[in-house]
């Protein structure tokens, strides 16, 4: 028997037939296109509940939303009743419907019905075949193949996502929004029936043109649904009263800049699909937009045209509101299409909290350590405070809350800008494209570029670390440092470590200092109202008044605001405190007030003796020390460098030495002594500071030089300005002397130029080139520095 079969198979006719059958079987197995649909789709973003935020037209000019596996039952029932009543029972091909169509076509002597099932229509939509007999046969076999591979629900979803609905609208989702302004799940029976009849004749039945044809077809379908028992008579009657759409509607554009960002991320392969359910909360998004528009109306009077804001959830980093700019596309000068949330801009002072936390983390300072605040010139770099004044010395926390520039530069000089640059990159700042040396010390005053997105994310990182510290049993997770996200992510179990990039104690004291900033227009009165939210916040203003920033933190939310002009034009009064901060607090009023503040990270704190005057660890001569909680890293902080033991006469009026007074007649006393340049400014603002008494006349001085040059510093490079009349001006040199009224004799390049006493200043007019400045006081103390005057004409 087996041998006979083998012989038959070797016969030519049998071989040919076998080959044909094999080829047909192979074609049947491989006949479906892969992918089934390869047409471009619109970029679509939804809010956190799935409601449409915005969409853009596909690259082929069609409104075609991506495939949606969920088809409303109303549409399924309508389209089955209208197009393919045996859809649920056939295998892709309906002989009864096909036979009826042939009979109708013969009777009318033209093609009036195709007899295609929904499955066959899916095949035709995916292959774009012309209506020929052979193509129809091919569709039948491909439809059978489709039924084997896909479920009825999936086939219905393929149809609903790719059927034409008139004009350039493809798919149920796009049609629902274009014709009715809401999602298909919210359509009535009348609205859904109107959509269900469109794919049958999309070129003929166009909303707004052939409305009577559409109305008649819609009502016939409603009657059919009633007779099938799908809807009752009342529903059918009411549905017939509903108007059919007149013309396509514009789609929502509630987050246009996020849609723009989503498209860019898709092209860079950060996103996989062209439709995304975001973390945006629609109501908050709209309210934030209203606030920005309200402030824009005021700011544009000063030619400040642009404003942006972002709201983040601390726990996840999820974006709750993303307003990349104001929305005035009708006015090209506004440049409202620019997404400023993701645009690199000069950050002003907004990096200062990260430096303060880093200094605490490395044990270089304690929360209130005194930091110099005097005229400073470092390798040609001459930073100034915003108010152009000096305090001499200021507690580090106060320097942060007041956003003083010179103390920040002094801290960065101590911390090293290379190390801070590296720290910023580890935190997630990616916009510093140049090497660290390119920015130098200016990095802390906005010398680099950052985005509102990454800066707000970095602030959220700090809050997240602090929130998680106690929850994680005093340990840290590197995963707490990450960029903000606008799509929901699955949180993985954190890998805990003993140490973190920034310890919780340092962050806690940083936020405490940031909470002390005076809010705009409230003059500290907000502290008297218990209902007012506790917010740690920081402002920033870039050089030339080009950018105003404000970023605020609570245990649950972080809000970031930027104000300025996208073209970089600076404007008088464009400061973070006056333009961005009011917006910040108005947005915070939209958010639920946090009942609790950040938990104290007790595991990262230790109580030590701190010098009350200097804020450093108390040394042996600090007789006014207090017990204070500080970050554990404060155990490594320096001992107070400014308390020393001085020897005084019995009446405490003079300093003495063993050369002029016997030890029995001396009184040894601890004294808080700042360097002369710091003391010069500090004593004018701190009445409790006591200047050292002078030495007894004729008594040898064993102390350090009582003089210090404030300007210029040794090695400085300076310009001598021109006066209003064009003549060469003078440079004002400034010195400090520990003894008030002491005389200083000034010499330039070995030549005497004058003396000073009450105000230790001297106006000089040195020529371009290298110079030597020598100061001698009436006690014979000498101070000498070298400086260079630059020629502006070179």
């Amino acid at each position: 028997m087996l041998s006979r079969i083998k012989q038959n198979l070797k016969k030519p006719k049998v071989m040919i037939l076998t080959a044909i059958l094999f080829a047909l079987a192979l074609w049947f197995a491989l006949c479906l296109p892969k992918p089934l649909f390869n047409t471009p789709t619109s970029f679509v973003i939804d809010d956190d509940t799935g409601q449409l935020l915005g969409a853009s037209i596909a690259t082929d000019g069609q409104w075609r939303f991506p495939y949606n596996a969920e088809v409303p039952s109303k549409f399924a029932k309508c389209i089955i009743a209208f197009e393919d009543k045996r859809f649920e029972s056939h295998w892709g091909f309906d002989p009864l419907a096909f036979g009826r169509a042939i009979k109708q076509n013969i009777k009318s002597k033209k093609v009036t019905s195709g007899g295609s099932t929904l499955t066959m229509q899916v095949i035709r939509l995916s292959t774009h075949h012309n209506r020929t007999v052979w193509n129809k046969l091919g569709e039948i076999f491909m439809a059978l193949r489709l039924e084997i591979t896909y479920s009825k629900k999936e086939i219905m979803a393929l149809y609903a996502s790719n059927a034409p609905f008139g004009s350039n609208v493809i798919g149920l989702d796009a049609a629902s929004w274009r014709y009715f302004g809401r999602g298909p799940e919210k359509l009535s029976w009348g609205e859904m029936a109107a959509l269900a009849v469109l794919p049958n004749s999309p070129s003929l039945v166009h909303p707004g043109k052939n409305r009577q044809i559409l109305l008649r077809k819609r009502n016939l379908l409603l009657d059919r649904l009633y007779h099938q028992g799908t809807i009752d008579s009342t529903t059918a009657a009411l549905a017939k009263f509903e108007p059919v759409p007149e013309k396509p509607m514009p789609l929502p554009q509630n987050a246009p800049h996020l849609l723009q960002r989503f498209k860019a991320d898709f092209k860079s392969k950060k996103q996989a699909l062209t439709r995304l359910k975001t973390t945006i909360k629609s109501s908050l998004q709209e309210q934030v937009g209203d606030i920005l528009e309200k402030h824009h109306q005021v700011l544009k009077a000063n030619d400040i045209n642009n404003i942006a804001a972002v709201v983040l959830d601390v726990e996840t980093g999820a974006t709750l509101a993303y307003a990349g700019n104001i929305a005035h596309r009708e006015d090209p000068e506004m440049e409202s299409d620019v997404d400023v949330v993701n645009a690199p801009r000069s950050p002003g002072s907004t990096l200062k909290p990260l430096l303060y936390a880093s200094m605490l983390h490395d044990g270089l300072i304690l929360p209130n350590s005194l930091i110099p605040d005097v005229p400073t010139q470092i390798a040609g770099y001459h930073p100034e405070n915003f108010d152009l004044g000096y305090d001499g010395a200021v507690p580090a926390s106060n320097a942060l809350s007041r956003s003083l520039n010179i103390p920040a530069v002094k801290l960065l000089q101590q911390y090293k800008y290379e190390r801070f640059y590296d720290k910023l990159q580890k935190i997630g700042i990616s916009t510093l494209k140049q090497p660290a040396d390119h920015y130098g010390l200016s990095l802390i005053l906005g010398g680099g570029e950052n985005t509102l997105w990454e800066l707000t994310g970095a602030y959220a990182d700090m809050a997240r670390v602090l929130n998680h510290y106690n929850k994680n049993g005093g340990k840290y997770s590197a995963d707490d440092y990450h960029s903000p996200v606008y799509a929901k992510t699955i949180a993985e179990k954190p890998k805990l470590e003993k140490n973190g990039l920034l310890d919780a104690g340092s962050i806690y004291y940083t936020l405490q200092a940031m909470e002390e900033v005076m809010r705009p227009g409230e003059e500290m009165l907000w502290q008297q109202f218990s209902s007012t939210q506790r917010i740690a916040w920081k402002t920033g203003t870039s050089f030339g008044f080009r950018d105003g920033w404000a970023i605020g933190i609570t245990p649950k939310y972080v809000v970031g605001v930027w104000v300025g002009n996208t073209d970089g034009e600076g404007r008088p009064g464009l400061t973070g405190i006056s333009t961005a901060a009011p917006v910040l607090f108005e947005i915070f009023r939209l958010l639920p007030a946090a009942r609790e503040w950040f938990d104290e990270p007790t595991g990262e704190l230790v109580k030590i003796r701190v010098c009350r005057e200097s804020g450093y660890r108390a040394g042996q001569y600090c007789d006014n020390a207090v017990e204070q909680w500080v970050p554990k890293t404060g155990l490594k902080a320096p001992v107070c460098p400014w308390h020393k033991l001085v020897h005084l006469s019995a009446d405490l009026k003079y300093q003495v030495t063993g050369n002029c007074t016997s030890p029995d007649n001396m009184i040894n006393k601890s004294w808080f002594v700042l360097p002369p340049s710091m003391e010069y400014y500090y004593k004018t603002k701190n009445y409790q500071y006591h200047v050292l008494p002078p030495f007894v006349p004729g008594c040898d001085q064993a102390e350090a030089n009582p003089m210090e040059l404030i300007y210029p510093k040794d090695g400085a490079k300076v310009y001598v300005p021109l006066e209003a009349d064009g003549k060469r001006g003078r440079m004002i040199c400034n010195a400090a002397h520990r003894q008030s009224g002491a005389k200083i004799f000034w010499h330039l390049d070995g030549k005497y130029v004058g003396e000073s006493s009450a105000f230790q200043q001297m106006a000089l007019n040195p020529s371009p080139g290298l110079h030597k400045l020598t100061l001698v006081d009436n006690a014979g103390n000498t101070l000498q520095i070298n400086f260079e005057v630059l020629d502006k004409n070179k």
Side-chain angles (χ1 to χ4, degrees), residues 206-224:
H206 183 281
K209 291 183 179 178
N210 303 288
R211 298 184 72 241
Q212 289 305 314
I213 300 175
L214 176 58
L215 193 64
R216 188 175 69 253
K217 285 199 170 194
R218 191 271 313 266
N219 291 346
L220 286 173
L221 176 54
L222 289 170
D223 288 337
R224 189 178 298 177

Side-chain angles (χ1 to χ4, degrees), residues 356 360 364-369 396 608 610 615-617 630-631 634-635 637:
Y356 179 78
L360 291 173
L364 297 173
I365 59 170
L366 295 180
N368 295 310
S369 295
I608 63 172
V610 176
Y616 282 97
R617 281 196 303 129
V630 300
L635 293 170

Side-chain angles (χ1 to χ4, degrees), residues 426-595:
K426 288 179 179 176
I427 287 173
I429 303 297
S430 65
T431 48
L432 300 174
K433 303 298 185 183
Q434 302 297 327
D437 289 339
H438 174 81
Y439 306 105
L441 294 173
S442 72
L443 182 61
I444 197 59
L445 301 184
E449 288 188 324
N450 301 101
T451 65
L452 184 62
W453 182 251
E454 288 189 347
L455 275 177
T456 308
Y459 279 53
D461 292 344
M462 290 196 292
R464 194 177 303 117
V465 170
L466 195 51
N467 281 342
H468 288 174
Y469 175 77
N470 288 334
K471 293 179 182 177
N472 291 338
K475 292 187 177 181
Y476 298 90
S477 170
D479 294 337
D480 283 342
Y481 293 91
H482 62 76
S483 295
V485 295
Y486 57 85
K488 190 174 181 179
T489 56
I490 299 174
E492 297 181 0
K493 188 175 181 180
K495 297 176 182 177
L496 300 180
E497 303 168 354
K498 186 176 180 181
N499 299 308
L501 198 56
L502 290 171
D503 69 272
S506 299
I507 294 173
Y508 182 76
Y509 279 98
T510 300
L511 299 187
Q512 219 172 32
M514 291 167 65
E515 196 190 357
E516 296 301 317
V517 183
M518 187 172 68
R519 302 187 184 191
E522 297 190 7
E523 307 298 332
M524 301 301 281
L525 294 177
W526 65 273
Q527 292 180 339
Q528 299 176 18
F529 299 94
S530 59
S531 61
T532 303
Q533 283 201 69
R534 295 182 66 178
I535 301 170
W537 62 293
K538 183 74 187 73
T539 61
T541 304
S542 67
F543 178 76
F545 302 102
R546 293 181 173 90
D547 307 91
W549 302 75
I551 307 178
I553 305 175
T554 68
K556 290 195 172 185
Y557 304 104
V558 174
V559 177
V561 177
W562 173 91
V563 175
N565 289 308
T566 54
D567 61 4
E569 181 188 357
R571 296 298 304 162
L574 203 172
T575 64
I577 191 71
S578 63
T579 63
V583 182
L584 176 88
F585 287 105
E586 198 163 339
I587 291 175
F588 264 116
R589 282 194 283 272
L590 299 176
L591 303 172
R595 294 182 180 178

Side-chain angles (χ1 to χ4, degrees), residues 165 180 189-199 214 218 221 243-245:
F165 284 84
F180 296 107
W189 279 107
E191 291 166 335
M192 196 65 88
L195 289 183
V197 302
L198 278 178
L214 176 58
R218 191 271 313 266
L221 176 54
V244 292

